[in-house]
Amino acid sequence: MTTRRQLVLGLVALGALTHTAEAAAGPRRTVRRRTRRRTRRRIRRRHRRRVTRRVVAGRSLLVVPVALAVGWELLVDDRVYVVTAIAPDAAGIETATLTDDAGSTLKEAILREDTADNGQQLVGSEIDESDTTTPGVEEES
């Protein structure tokens, strides 16, 4: 028959054995899950607008937005052109010099007017970070 003293000593010894086994195993390490930080990258893109043609006084004109500037991209007849210059011609009508990817140049008379077609912003090509003079739209990716 066991006495109360023996029972308590047995429980203390059992606790000491389990405690030393955990201590011998080393400290517990909590596994920290690595979280990937999302960095926002700002991208500058050219303004790109779709334009239409209109005949005014027997002359074919491109209907462009009022805010058109050099450096914008225009989608003319499903081809993308970059506006390289805007100047008035001899008759006082503005003409835009347009250049495509292949390097071919096109001079078109323009009419500045905001419409539903040319008011919709399209996704333009990326502008280099070093180019600060070309007007563009900033977005995050």
Side-chain angles (χ1 to χ4, degrees):
M1 192 158 197
T2 60
T3 63
R4 185 181 302 163
R5 181 179 287 170
Q6 290 174 338
L7 180 65
V8 170
L9 283 174
L11 289 175
V12 169
L14 182 64
L17 285 176
T18 59
H19 183 65
T20 55
E22 287 179 9
R28 283 192 180 179
R29 291 186 181 177
T30 57
V31 178
R32 236 174 102 174
R33 191 171 184 183
R34 229 178 179 181
T35 57
R36 181 176 234 168
R37 261 187 120 174
R38 183 175 181 208
T39 58
R40 292 184 176 168
R41 183 174 167 236
R42 297 184 82 61
I43 297 175
R44 285 188 60 228
R45 294 188 179 276
R46 292 184 188 266
H47 291 275
R48 183 181 289 183
R49 299 292 173 94
R50 184 180 313 274
V51 296
T52 56
R53 292 187 184 274
R54 183 184 301 163
V55 177
V56 176
R59 190 169 185 178
S60 176
L61 303 173
L62 289 179
V63 180
V64 298
V66 174
L68 179 71
V70 174
W72 280 33
E73 291 180 336
L74 298 179
L75 191 61
V76 181
D77 302 329
D78 296 329
R79 292 193 67 182
V80 177
Y81 292 94
V82 177
V83 178
T84 55
I86 300 173
D89 64 358
I93 297 175
E94 283 186 307
T95 58
T97 306
L98 309 173
T99 307
D100 64 355
D101 293 341
S104 63
T105 304
L106 176 70
K107 284 194 174 187
E108 288 283 337
I110 60 172
L111 173 66
R112 292 179 184 259
E113 182 180 312
D114 288 331
T115 63
D117 289 337
N118 66 20
Q120 184 179 11
Q121 179 75 26
L122 303 174
V123 178
S125 60
E126 287 188 28
I127 302 174
D128 292 334
E129 292 178 11
S130 61
D131 186 3
T132 57
T133 59
T134 303
V137 179
E138 287 190 7
E139 64 180 31
E140 294 179 358
S141 68

